[in-house]
Amino acid sequence: MGDSLVLAEVRTACELQAVREWAATTHPDAPVRALREVVADDLDPDTELIPARAVWLPAVRQGERRVSLADVLVLSNPRRPMALRQKAIKNRRPDRLRVVQGEPATVAELRQRYVNEFAEGEPFTAFVSVQASLSAERAERQIVGDRYKVPRLVAEQISSSARFQAKAAKLAAELGRPAAAVVQEATDKMSNFVATQSRLMDDVFSSVFSNLHERTWTVSVDLDTLNRLRTLNRSHGLVFLPSHRSYVDPLVLAEVLRGHDFPPNLVLGGNNLSFWPVGPIARRAGMIFIRRKFGGDPVYKFAMRSYLSFIVEKRFNLEWYIEGGRSRTGKLRKPMLGLLAYVVDAVEQLEDSDVMVVPTSIVYDQLHEIGAMAAESAGGTKKPEGITWLLKYAKAQRSYLGEARVRFGEPFSLRQALREAGEGRARLDKVAFKVMDEINAATPISATSLAGFAILGARDRAYTAAEIEAILAPLLDYIEQRDLPGPDPALCRGVGLRRTLRELTDAGVLTAYDGGTDTVWSIAPDNHAVAAYYRNGALHHFVDRAIVELGLLATAEGDLIVGEGGLLPAAQQEALRIRDLLKFEFFFPTKDVFLHRLGAELDLVAPGWREVSPTPEWTDRVLHDHAGALFARRTLQPFFDAQLVVAERLVCLGDGSLGKDQVLADCLGLGRQLSLQGIVRSKDSVSTELYDAAYQLADNRGLVPDDGAGPGDTDLATARQKWLDEVRSMRERLRRIAWIEAEQAGLLT
């Protein structure tokens, strides 16, 4: 072993003196030189280089070393004090200045890594400087904590790597451009979205924007899963994929992770939120603002792929919202696959690399922004974000809105999930659907969701608290039987239920009338979509049960074509047909898993069904015995109502075609008309989001071809009419279920 040399990463004479004092004790025979002054090419290969850094810590406030907003307002950064003040701080508060040592390495070892990793022509001294800084950074985290783990010198590491240079040259050849020009353009574009994180801005961002949620909700979290995630994070990078309900979702999740000493996530978000002052602060706190669409810009795509590969390789934690935008209905939206494809590409190109995907559910008892989202779903225009919008949003967040619940689905290896998904174009869809299914499974059911479920029946009327409690009783029993993440039952009964109803009334979702012998609650005028938002957050937990009920009804009514295998195979095929009608509304598992789930539902409805030859009489009796616990009507009515509107509009076109935007605009008008006529039973079904899903189903069935041609050799108008007949059949079954419920309740005369 040769001599040793301490490389001091310092900015001032005071910091250099601190490193020398430290080295005199820890490495008395090693000279100390400022890192910026070292020329690595002049060093002996056997020289051991010891990275060291002077670290300034904020003063202790409320038991924590953290920068406050007051520090920023007086233009002071306790983590990087001005040179003129450093000596005084060092003398008065020596605990605020520490020296940390990074992992040492010889010049020969660094030379070998340089040959393997850096592009030809890049100076060796620059490589040594970057490696020393990164090593000191890792040592500094031992003092400040993992929550301050931030990527440093990102652009330098990516653009100077041999892998980046080689791929840039390949892209340049494909585009017919000089390689140097593509490298420069990719580097420039990367600089527009790379998160230039700083610990100061992380503290500031947390302090400034915490007011958007800390006073509004009490945040609860699943601590058991969180502890498992911390263990996983020691060996894997984590990719958090949360549901998207609110603008504050990233703030709520960040506060949860920060409070449990997780490193900060790098959050991918749309550049619509990059306006001043949010953009400059958020970007330095880990937000990566990207274009909404960049498929037509190959250099931008290359820069983004390179950045995500770097993040995966270095095991930084990622976060993005796979739905691509906030839910307008309360249900999960269709997953957007672009960013997932880039991370998959990074995992597959990096040998032995992997990430753990963490499906994440964030649910709120109440949200101020639901009204605006419901208006957009009903055809309104989304208001652009800006400073005026932010101030209004912050003002609206001053009142307390209950609880925000953060829950995590089962984390899974992305590499393993890809193997299980097989080859072909559908494998990304399979991975994304696994994410959505896990989010749904983890999503807790709130008392406000159940209240919306109870009041949004097919009959648009007012209900007493006793009636609502009677509707909720079988739901609570079902939640307990299935061991679902339900609410505190006390909030759905007696005084607790009245408190829940009062909260929704205060929020303008419900209206209360107390001029009679009993108070009655109903949906506030034109607020059905808002009430539906709350209901829809829990709706996926009841879909399998609803499909079982529709299948039982088809059996009881003799609607099934029974073959040689008997009634059970016919009933299973009917269940799969219903699932196909709803596949753009809900996330279903594979066929085998789906049928297994339906079997488990039947175990609850009719425990002895496996030993019974199901006849129409038997199924009719089962339905009547469970008349008070039939969920299909309240669960599925809005979606079949929306399909009715779209199918009616397409049938009116005969074998003609219109553009999608025009069809959806026409459906809004037709839906309002049919709602006023009482044909459409659920007012919340008048929604562009629901019509869009129905249109996707029609498109999937070949009912909206661009060229006007029919699906296969079937006449287009006939195929459209067939779909309409299917939808009418489903709605008739829901009407029949409503009749059974009314008959058992003694409401029929």
Side-chain angles (χ1 to χ4, degrees):
M1 176 68 70
D3 296 331
S4 296
L5 173 65
V6 174
L7 301 181
E9 188 181 18
V10 295
R11 298 179 299 116
T12 66
C14 178
E15 293 177 355
L16 182 59
Q17 180 60 32
V19 173
R20 283 174 173 159
E21 292 170 359
W22 165 84
T25 302
T26 57
H27 304 283
D29 298 327
V32 177
R33 293 175 61 185
L35 177 61
R36 61 179 176 271
E37 298 174 356
V38 171
V39 179
D41 292 304
D42 297 340
L43 299 175
D44 186 277
D46 291 330
T47 301
E48 182 185 52
L49 303 181
I50 305 170
R53 174 184 288 182
V55 177
W56 295 92
L57 302 175
V60 177
R61 295 183 176 94
Q62 297 179 343
E64 184 179 7
R65 292 189 183 273
R66 184 173 176 181
V67 178
S68 71
L69 181 59
D71 292 320
V72 179
L73 294 178
V74 297
L75 303 180
S76 170
N77 181 357
R79 297 189 188 280
R80 290 173 66 88
M82 292 182 294
L84 293 175
R85 298 188 60 223
Q86 287 184 357
K87 187 174 181 180
I89 295 173
K90 178 174 179 286
N91 291 334
R92 289 200 309 266
R93 298 292 302 274
D95 63 300
R96 288 190 53 193
L97 177 59
R98 309 276 184 86
V99 175
V100 297
Q101 174 185 319
E103 188 70 25
T106 66
V107 173
E109 290 169 343
L110 290 168
R111 176 73 69 177
Q112 185 60 50
R113 283 157 55 186
Y114 165 77
V115 171
N116 294 336
E117 298 176 18
F118 254 37
E120 186 176 350
E122 295 290 335
F124 177 57
T125 293
F127 175 79
V128 171
S129 178
V130 169
Q131 297 304 306
S133 181
L134 292 174
S135 180
E137 177 76 19
R138 287 189 288 271
E140 182 175 350
R141 287 206 307 275
Q142 300 299 315
I143 295 177
V144 300
D146 277 343
R147 67 183 176 187
Y148 290 109
K149 177 184 177 183
V150 295
R152 302 281 190 181
L153 307 172
V154 173
E156 294 88 337
Q157 292 182 76
I158 296 175
S159 61
S160 60
S161 71
R163 184 170 64 223
F164 178 88
Q165 298 276 348
K167 290 186 176 181
K170 181 180 178 181
L171 176 61
E174 294 171 357
L175 298 176
R177 297 176 55 189
V182 170
V183 167
Q184 186 61 52
E185 183 181 345
T187 304
D188 290 344
K189 288 181 173 177
M190 197 185 310
S191 68
N192 291 325
F193 55 71
V194 165
T196 54
Q197 282 180 283
S198 78
R199 288 162 186 153
L200 170 67
M201 285 297 106
D202 184 63
D203 284 337
V204 170
F205 189 79
S206 175
S207 298
V208 171
F209 292 102
S210 62
N211 286 333
L212 293 180
H213 71 87
E214 284 188 347
R215 292 184 299 179
T216 314
W217 297 280
T218 301
V219 179
S220 69
V221 64
D222 174 9
L223 293 177
D224 289 340
T225 307
L226 202 61
N227 290 332
R228 288 175 53 208
L229 292 177
R230 187 184 294 104
T231 301
L232 278 175
N233 206 184
R234 293 177 186 142
S235 56
H236 293 82
L238 304 180
V239 175
F240 291 87
L241 297 180
S243 57
H244 201 8
R245 312 270 178 164
S246 169
Y247 287 111
V248 300
D249 290 340
L251 303 178
V252 171
L253 181 57
E255 198 64 29
V256 164
L257 297 177
R258 181 188 182 96
H260 293 83
D261 204 32
F262 276 75
N265 292 345
L266 292 167
V267 185
L268 293 156
N271 58 6
N272 59 306
L273 292 176
S274 63
F275 59 85
W276 185 91
V278 175
I281 297 176
R283 188 171 168 222
R284 288 165 177 79
M287 180 70 78
I288 304 167
F289 292 111
I290 60 176
R291 298 178 191 171
R292 288 288 186 178
K293 297 180 180 179
F294 50 86
D297 187 339
V299 179
Y300 191 96
K301 289 173 65 176
F302 166 64
M304 179 57 65
R305 285 179 184 272
S306 300
Y307 184 35
L308 291 178
S309 292
F310 169 85
I311 291 171
V312 169
E313 184 178 22
K314 301 301 182 183
R315 299 212 314 255
F316 290 105
N317 291 348
L318 261 174
E319 172 188 337
W320 78 85
Y321 292 79
I322 194 169
E323 297 167 88
R326 293 170 301 150
S327 170
R328 266 59 175 177
T329 64
K331 294 194 301 91
L332 291 180
R333 304 175 78 178
K334 179 182 178 182
M336 308 295 286
L337 304 181
L339 291 174
L340 180 62
Y342 286 2
V343 173
V344 166
D345 181 64
V347 167
E348 293 187 326
Q349 290 196 26
L350 298 170
E351 187 176 351
D352 297 327
S353 178
D354 196 7
V355 296
M356 296 299 295
V357 177
V358 186
T360 305
S361 170
I362 307 175
V363 173
Y364 306 86
D365 281 348
Q366 294 184 61
L367 274 174
H368 282 303
E369 57 208 87
I370 290 179
M373 291 189 290
E376 293 168 24
S377 181
T381 303
K382 182 178 183 290
K383 295 181 180 179
E385 294 84 357
I387 184 62
T388 302
W389 165 86
L390 178 62
L391 293 174
K392 289 181 179 179
Y393 187 84
K395 184 178 180 180
Q397 296 295 99
R398 292 178 180 176
S399 57
Y400 182 67
L401 294 180
E403 194 171 5
R405 299 171 180 84
V406 180
R407 301 291 184 268
F408 303 100
E410 189 65 29
F412 61 87
S413 156
L414 180 57
R415 187 175 288 277
Q416 181 178 340
L418 290 168
R419 283 197 298 267
E420 293 172 354
E423 299 298 327
R425 297 175 59 184
R427 70 176 188 149
L428 268 184
D429 289 294
K430 292 178 181 178
V431 173
F433 272 52
K434 181 179 177 68
V435 172
M436 309 310 268
D437 194 43
E438 284 292 339
I439 292 175
N440 272 337
T443 297
I445 303 169
S446 67
T448 49
S449 292
L450 291 186
F453 190 95
I455 298 178
L456 276 169
R459 299 176 65 197
D460 187 16
R461 67 175 182 87
Y463 293 83
T464 67
E467 288 176 317
I468 296 172
E469 187 170 338
I471 295 170
L472 294 182
L475 281 168
L476 293 173
D477 290 342
Y478 177 75
I479 289 169
E480 183 178 3
Q481 289 174 324
R482 285 271 314 277
D483 195 26
L484 297 176
D488 180 353
L491 296 176
C492 301
R493 298 172 182 146
V495 175
L497 174 59
R498 288 179 176 271
R499 189 175 72 186
T500 299
L501 296 174
R502 186 169 58 250
E503 289 173 355
L504 290 173
T505 302
D506 292 342
V509 181
L510 305 180
T511 59
Y513 176 76
D514 58 4
T517 59
D518 203 348
T519 304
V520 292
W521 284 268
S522 60
I523 306 299
D526 301 322
N527 255 3
H528 288 74
V530 177
Y533 186 99
Y534 289 109
R535 175 203 62 198
N536 291 349
L539 211 57
H540 56 276
H541 288 297
F542 309 115
V543 172
D544 289 349
R545 171 62 170 264
I547 291 176
V548 165
E549 293 173 13
L550 290 181
L552 285 170
L553 189 63
T555 304
E557 298 286 316
D559 293 341
L560 300 185
I561 300 175
V562 180
E564 294 181 1
L567 195 55
L568 182 59
Q572 290 178 332
Q573 286 303 118
E574 178 65 9
L576 292 171
R577 186 177 73 86
I578 298 170
R579 182 182 76 155
D580 189 69
L581 283 169
L582 297 168
K583 65 184 178 183
F584 290 99
E585 292 291 356
F586 301 100
F587 297 97
F588 293 105
T590 61
K591 173 183 172 181
D592 291 342
V593 174
F594 173 69
L595 292 177
H596 176 74
R597 287 185 182 179
L598 295 195
E601 290 293 336
L602 273 171
D603 287 337
L604 296 178
V605 176
W609 72 273
R610 299 175 192 275
E611 288 75 40
V612 174
S613 177
T615 63
E617 293 76 20
W618 179 83
T619 52
D620 184 70
R621 185 167 62 254
V622 169
L623 287 169
H624 278 79
D625 288 346
H626 289 78
L630 299 177
F631 306 153
R633 177 170 59 93
R634 283 185 166 82
T635 302
L636 300 179
Q637 188 78 54
F639 309 106
F640 286 127
D641 279 354
Q643 288 189 23
L644 174 77
V645 172
V646 176
E648 290 273 18
R649 183 68 190 97
L650 292 179
V651 166
C652 286
L653 291 175
D655 59 359
S657 295
L658 280 177
K660 177 180 178 179
D661 291 343
Q662 186 60 55
V663 170
L664 295 184
D666 291 349
C667 286
L668 271 178
L670 179 59
R672 289 173 183 141
Q673 171 200 321
L674 296 180
S675 177
L676 290 169
Q677 291 179 281
I679 296 172
V680 165
R681 296 187 175 94
S682 54
K683 293 183 179 180
D684 57 287
S685 70
V686 183
S687 159
T688 53
E689 294 279 330
L690 268 61
Y691 294 149
D692 185 82
Y695 187 93
Q696 291 179 59
L697 176 62
D699 190 26
N700 181 256
R701 294 185 166 205
L703 304 182
V704 286
D706 293 334
D707 59 3
D713 58 356
T714 304
D715 176 72
L716 181 59
T718 301
R720 287 172 170 173
Q721 183 63 51
K722 181 180 178 182
W723 179 40
L724 176 58
D725 291 341
E726 279 188 86
V727 174
R728 285 174 172 167
S729 172
M730 292 298 106
R731 294 179 77 251
E732 176 58 27
R733 291 186 196 174
L734 295 178
R735 188 200 64 79
R736 172 65 176 159
I737 286 176
W739 188 89
I740 293 173
E741 291 176 323
E743 180 184 42
Q744 290 296 101
L747 299 178
L748 298 181
T749 58

